[in-house]
Amino acid sequence: MGVLLLDIVTTAAILFAVASGLMIILGVMKLINFAHGAFLTIGGYAAFATTQLGWNPWLAIPFAALVGFILGLIVERVIVRPLYARPLDAILATWGLGIIIGQVITIVFGRQVQFVQSPISGAIEFLGYSYSTYRLILVALAALLAVALTALFYFTRFGLNARAVIMNEDLARGLGIDSTRVRLITFGLGAALASMAGALITPLISVDPNLGLPWLINSFMLVLVSGISIPSLIVASLILGGAQVVVSTYVSAILGGLTIVVLAAVILRIRPQGLFSG
Amino acid sequence: MVEQVQNGPAKGRRTAARRRSDLANVLKVSVAALVVLGVAPFFLDIYTINILIRALLLAALALTVDLLWGYTGILTFGQSAFFGIGAYACALVFTHWGFGAGWAILALALGILTAMAVAALVGWLAFYHGASPLYGSIVTLALTIVVTQIIYAGGRTTGSSSGLSGFPTYYWPLETWFWIAGAFLVVVTALAWLFVHSDMGRVLVAIRENENRCAYLGIPVSRIKILLLVASGAIGAIAGFGYAAFTNVVAPELAGFLLGTELLIWVALGGRGTLIGPVIGAILIDVTSSYLSGSLPFYWKLLVGILFVVVIVALPQGLMPEVTKIWRRFVPGARRKAEAPKLEPAPARGVVHGKEQPLTVRGVHRHFGSLQVLQGIDFEAKEGELLSLVGPNGAGKTTLIRCLADGYERSGGDITIFGKDLGRWPPERCVALGIGRKFQTANVFATLTVGECLRVARYRMAPPSIWTSDTTLGLPEAALRIVEETGLAQSLDTEARHLAHGQKQALELAMVLALEPRIVLLDEPTAGLTRVERERIGAILTSLTERERLSILLVEHDLDFVREISSRVIVLHQGKILLDGSVEEVVDSELVREIYAGTALNLKGDGP
């Protein structure tokens, strides 16, 4: 029972970390970033490169974030900005971008499965159970991330501008907020978060050019169910992640993999506005 | 009425003529395509024929994506799932049950039925009034994952990740398979061509252009989308069945998300909404992929990815329109011009003037969170009444109109239309009760012609044919008058987006009246119109109430206009009814003057 609870909390923490970048981009830009999975992959390979270069494995996290941020800025400027008025086309273009990133990674690193050195291994005693140290650290990191994002959006000038754009972009522009710049930075930030999440999860899974794909859809579902709010995303991660763990543990692993998608689709059919709003 | 008797047989003749001409062209092109496909195997090597068979089947699948996405605006990632279902139906039956003509027919039928059932379920999940298009896309995406996972979970029955192969099948010569696949593609393309160029095809485009307007025209958008998905699923399953029977190999990837997105790439590159573009795109890219996957697999995919992004960003309509442009430059007269339909009066419906009150509103309220926008709204509208709703900005006028046209809008209270409870009906059911709503801003179908917009509006009264298009357009008298008096009758073949603002407003009003509503909700129908246009519309509205005994609810700011045409006026202020009475009582009352003057002062103070 205790292990199950720890599984649920750590799974939720991972889901939250993976989905947060998508949520920020959706919230500010009203855009579903289909390259989100590709940015996770980039983060995974940034961690792999860190291992290859013999750097300290902890460095993988900031390194991945930096790579993601820079690439995100470029992508926003070249691909996303011209498609602002065509959201469904933006989905397709970012998906095309995902293909390009996947192929470039395949050409550079090969298509074989690679492994990344974990910054910390083994298990510790926690609440009387022996549990993976790295997964527990992930929970702390995800909590830190939630606090940092909240602080960013509520205690900085950028956050104030971004919230204004989320609520009413036209009005925000009318008040002199440079929404183009807000969007640019938001996309960079979302890409950085995705990439960082990719680096965070790679010690748990192997790295290959398609590693981001399965996470992409679960992230969408979480964000659609939660709506644009950090606390809601945490709760949605706990509920859906919890359901996934329970189904995987007691029914079957394959059905567990489907839990989030199916459950979220049904939740959204009943409550289109998501679980927590309206 | 005399005119109609004369028009009756003539209409029949014209429709028949039109039907023959379109079908003849399609048949000519189909026969030509069949001849090319018929001789092609004699000039191609075995490898090329092999990959072309696969490409022809996938092209049929791409065609369904074009129907859904290119024409109707449903971005789907899920067509591969139906292909996979058809393929696995074949493989499973042949592997586990038996092989032979009877088993083949059973397997095909099973594949089609399963695909249709799954499509219906997905459609129910994805398409409902108010669903975001994004959600629909995500559901189709989820479908591919669910189907793939089910195949993985099938263990030895489905062969799990390695799939099934080596099951018995028909070892016909390669040419035979090629001809089957080719004929299938030609038939599907020809049928799809007739379908999208029919009157029903225009409805699909109307849904793509403005789904909300469609719902308020009484068009059952969700049902149409679901049926289209079911039909597309069936076609996909047939293609998948053919693929499995031919290759003798099935794998979970056939149902997967990657194939689903590849289809989108082919359609986008070929040219969405052109049918032929996606078919050619699918064949060319799939064949080239097969050739290059040996020598340059990653670079080829990279190239396709880059090309895809470039096309989406810079050339959203794909390559086909560019090709057509060049073709038209060199072949004069190749341009297909939209034909203007011949207008005629629609047969008048015998309206029973019953004792039932057209509209009764009791205790309606609406709040957004803690903000009360409407509270305690009580009023009736009688037959032949032109009831104006006035009040300052933010008084709740538009919200009240919304509550009357969509059963889901109000937070509480009862609305009764001719004795029937409005309940929680979606807009298309409200239209069936007799409500027609015109939006505040002109809301028409940008890429449809004026004639097509009006025909789409006649959906309920004159159900559109799914294979042919009618050359006449029957409109009720009121709509006909607007079309003729505002000059729209001369622009029936003009695309709505090219109309002037006033004409767009008039077109939308004509579309609403084409519904033959008994209660008309008009939200500032004359905003942005010239004085002459305004007077003309005012005259039509008053004659509608007098001659046809319609009830009209009008939201209007111009008190002079209100005074001229209304028979009763309701004043809304801060979400409540302040006054309800005759024009003289209300417009000249001190209170109304105060409210308007007060708001005017406030506006000066707070305005931007």
Side-chain angles (χ1 to χ4, degrees):
Chain A
M1 192 61 205
V3 172
L4 186 74
L5 278 179
L6 284 174
D7 277 344
I8 289 174
V9 172
T10 53
T11 304
I14 294 169
L15 288 171
F16 172 79
V18 169
S20 58
L22 193 75
M23 183 185 75
I24 285 172
I25 291 177
L26 178 67
V28 177
M29 309 179 71
K30 322 288 180 289
L31 166 88
I32 288 267
N33 173 22
F34 259 58
H36 186 72
F39 281 110
L40 285 172
T41 314
I42 286 175
Y45 276 89
F48 175 65
T50 316
T51 304
Q52 292 291 299
L53 292 168
W55 296 353
N56 183 332
W58 287 110
L59 272 180
I61 297 166
F63 179 58
L66 183 69
V67 172
F69 186 69
I70 293 168
L71 281 175
L73 293 185
I74 298 170
V75 166
E76 199 280 340
R77 186 64 200 84
V78 178
I79 296 178
V80 177
R81 199 173 292 176
L83 295 177
Y84 180 36
R86 294 186 271 145
L88 285 186
D89 281 2
I91 289 185
L92 289 174
T94 49
W95 171 249
L97 173 72
I99 296 175
I100 295 173
I101 292 173
Q103 291 311 310
V104 170
I105 285 177
T106 310
I107 290 165
V108 175
F109 291 95
R111 67 197 298 189
Q112 71 275 25
V113 171
Q114 319 263 18
F115 293 93
V116 172
Q117 195 199 334
S118 178
I120 195 160
S121 57
I124 53 165
E125 284 285 315
F126 184 75
L127 302 177
Y129 302 96
S130 171
Y131 203 78
S132 154
T133 318
Y134 187 71
R135 285 181 74 103
L136 289 173
I137 289 176
L138 272 184
V139 177
L141 288 176
L144 202 64
L145 180 67
V147 171
L149 283 177
T150 311
L152 176 69
F153 276 92
Y154 285 88
F155 300 113
T156 66
R157 182 71 217 183
F158 166 78
L160 184 65
N161 288 352
R163 279 187 294 140
V165 172
I166 291 176
M167 285 172 198
N168 188 338
E169 179 156 359
D170 292 331
L171 185 60
R173 254 209 308 269
L175 294 173
I177 293 173
D178 183 354
S179 68
T180 312
R181 203 177 110 92
V182 169
R183 299 164 66 81
L184 176 70
I185 295 175
T186 303
F187 198 87
L189 195 64
L193 286 172
S195 191
M196 191 169 78
L200 284 175
I201 57 178
T202 38
L204 302 174
I205 57 170
S206 57
V207 177
D208 70 83
N210 290 321
L211 96 88
L213 204 57
W215 297 89
L216 177 72
I217 292 144
N218 280 352
S219 307
F220 288 155
M221 290 304 191
L222 279 169
V223 171
L224 289 181
V225 166
S226 85
I228 310 301
S229 141
I230 292 165
S232 310
L233 184 61
I234 295 172
V235 178
S237 301
L238 279 168
I239 295 174
L240 293 178
Q244 181 187 19
V245 170
V246 169
V247 173
S248 302
T249 311
Y250 294 107
V251 188
S252 91
I254 287 173
L255 283 181
L258 290 179
T259 309
I260 292 183
V261 169
V262 174
L263 199 61
V266 173
I267 289 175
L268 288 169
R269 179 66 175 81
I270 300 163
R271 283 184 65 85
Q273 70 277 42
L275 269 187
F276 308 106
S277 57
Chain B
M1 287 317 283
V2 178
E3 221 174 337
Q4 256 172 47
V5 177
Q6 285 166 346
N7 266 330
K11 181 188 165 198
R13 256 204 318 280
R14 265 196 303 275
T15 313
R18 172 60 198 255
R19 184 186 293 147
R20 218 176 294 129
S21 76
D22 236 31
L23 189 63
N25 282 336
V26 170
L27 280 180
K28 261 184 253 165
V29 177
S30 303
V31 168
L34 285 173
V35 170
V36 171
L37 289 166
V39 297
F42 304 112
F43 299 94
L44 298 170
D45 58 282
I46 291 179
Y47 179 68
T48 310
I49 297 176
N50 245 310
I51 54 179
L52 263 174
I53 295 171
R54 175 189 135 99
L56 290 170
L57 292 169
L58 287 175
L61 196 61
L63 195 81
T64 65
V65 172
D66 194 30
L67 282 177
L68 289 164
W69 176 46
Y71 284 92
T72 322
I74 305 166
L75 180 62
T76 172
F77 296 89
Q79 284 308 99
S80 54
F82 304 116
F83 191 76
I85 288 172
Y88 268 88
C90 172
L92 288 172
V93 169
F94 288 2
T95 306
H96 299 296
W97 290 358
F99 174 69
W103 290 114
I105 292 168
L106 175 77
L108 181 61
L110 265 181
I112 294 173
L113 288 177
T114 312
M116 288 168 81
V118 170
L121 181 68
V122 169
W124 173 79
L125 260 179
F127 312 130
Y128 54 92
H129 176 65
S132 86
L134 198 63
Y135 171 68
S137 296
I138 303 275
V139 171
T140 61
L141 192 66
L143 168 69
T144 60
I145 294 165
V146 172
V147 172
T148 317
Q149 290 298 328
I150 289 173
I151 294 170
Y152 277 124
R156 292 186 53 179
T157 315
T158 58
S160 196
S161 62
S162 48
L164 295 168
S165 59
F167 46 84
T169 184
Y170 293 100
Y171 294 101
W172 291 326
L174 217 48
E175 293 82 28
T176 312
W177 283 109
F178 182 84
W179 289 325
I180 293 174
F184 172 65
L185 177 61
V186 170
V187 169
V188 171
T189 312
L191 290 178
W193 183 273
L194 287 175
F195 176 56
V196 299
H197 288 91
S198 73
D199 287 338
M200 190 64 198
R202 300 294 91 190
V203 175
L204 299 187
V205 176
I207 292 175
R208 180 188 76 198
E209 294 288 326
N210 193 336
E211 187 173 331
N212 207 32
R213 179 70 267 184
C214 283
Y216 284 96
L217 289 174
I219 296 171
V221 175
S222 305
R223 199 191 319 154
I224 293 174
K225 283 182 167 182
I226 292 172
L227 287 176
L228 190 67
L229 189 67
V230 168
S232 303
I235 295 172
I238 299 171
F241 177 88
Y243 179 84
F246 163 64
T247 59
N248 218 353
V249 180
V250 295
E253 287 74 33
L254 292 181
F257 159 60
L258 288 177
L259 177 60
T261 48
E262 253 179 292
L263 293 165
L264 280 174
I265 294 176
W266 300 339
V267 173
L269 291 181
R272 59 181 101 161
T274 62
L275 288 188
I276 305 297
V279 167
I280 295 173
I283 294 174
L284 282 184
I285 298 174
D286 192 48
V287 169
T288 321
S289 301
S290 303
Y291 269 103
L292 293 185
S293 61
S295 46
L296 303 162
F298 308 139
Y299 287 96
W300 165 247
K301 263 185 116 178
L302 179 64
L303 186 72
V304 171
I306 292 173
L307 195 63
F308 177 58
V309 173
V310 169
V311 163
I312 292 286
V313 173
L315 212 63
Q317 293 312 311
L319 297 172
M320 191 67 189
E322 304 303 312
V323 175
T324 332
K325 251 186 240 162
I326 296 168
W327 167 260
R328 277 182 190 147
R329 187 173 304 162
F330 291 105
V331 188
R335 184 172 210 90
R336 270 175 72 110
K337 204 178 172 316
E339 283 168 46
K342 188 182 173 306
L343 289 176
E344 61 179 24
R349 279 188 312 160
V351 178
V352 187
H353 295 279
K355 296 165 291 269
E356 302 284 7
Q357 181 101 304
L359 174 66
T360 315
V361 177
R362 286 284 167 264
V364 163
H365 60 99
R366 173 72 169 117
H367 57 86
F368 299 98
S370 61
L371 180 70
Q372 283 285 348
V373 181
L374 285 177
Q375 38 195 320
I377 302 290
D378 287 302
F379 72 96
E380 296 84 45
K382 300 183 190 62
E383 269 189 351
E385 219 173 15
L386 205 159
L387 184 54
S388 287
L389 289 173
V390 299
N393 283 328
K397 303 182 299 285
T398 300
T399 308
L400 177 56
I401 294 280
R402 257 196 225 134
C403 290
L404 296 175
D406 180 352
Y408 218 80
E409 281 284 341
R410 65 188 190 280
S411 310
D414 295 308
I415 295 172
T416 320
I417 312 286
F418 291 105
K420 294 199 184 81
D421 184 15
L422 187 75
R424 290 282 173 203
W425 293 125
E428 62 265 26
R429 297 293 298 269
C430 296
V431 172
L433 289 176
I435 288 181
R437 173 186 177 197
K438 192 200 159 304
F439 288 83
Q440 193 164 6
T441 47
N443 213 321
V444 292
F445 305 115
T447 63
L448 294 188
T449 65
V450 170
E452 287 167 346
C453 285
L454 289 165
R455 191 186 301 288
V456 167
R458 292 291 292 164
Y459 183 94
R460 279 188 66 248
M461 297 296 159
S465 154
I466 60 167
W467 303 119
T468 64
S469 64
D470 205 335
T471 52
T472 60
L473 173 61
L475 289 179
E477 203 196 326
L480 210 51
R481 260 186 76 189
I482 292 196
V483 169
E484 277 163 1
E485 291 182 19
T486 55
L488 284 172
Q490 281 77 51
S491 333
L492 288 177
D493 54 356
T494 308
E495 284 186 21
R497 61 187 158 150
H498 298 312
L499 294 178
H501 173 74
Q503 282 190 311
K504 277 187 195 160
Q505 290 279 39
L507 174 59
E508 199 197 352
L509 184 57
M511 283 160 67
V512 171
L513 293 175
L515 297 172
E516 301 183 25
R518 299 300 305 152
I519 301 171
V520 185
L521 311 175
L522 302 173
D523 203 344
E524 298 191 42
T526 63
L529 295 194
T530 64
R531 214 184 147 67
V532 181
E533 287 169 326
R534 173 179 291 229
E535 276 167 9
R536 212 175 266 157
I537 285 184
I540 293 172
L541 295 183
T542 34
S543 91
L544 278 175
T545 53
E546 279 159 16
R547 286 171 47 192
E548 305 194 18
R549 310 293 297 153
L550 295 190
S551 311
I552 298 182
L553 251 77
L554 178 73
V555 169
E556 190 52 72
H557 273 299
D558 183 346
L559 287 185
D560 290 331
F561 187 61
V562 167
R563 191 198 308 263
E564 260 165 57
I565 68 169
S566 313
S567 51
R568 213 175 103 210
V569 181
I570 285 180
V571 182
L572 273 178
H573 185 54
Q574 296 179 346
K576 288 182 192 148
I577 292 184
L578 211 61
L579 278 176
D580 179 349
S582 72
V583 179
E584 295 73 32
E585 280 168 5
V586 172
V587 175
D588 299 327
S589 81
E590 200 55 34
L591 193 59
V592 168
R593 229 172 275 155
E594 253 171 47
I595 292 171
Y596 268 85
T599 340
L601 287 177
N602 279 343
L603 274 178
K604 264 179 211 154
D606 307 335

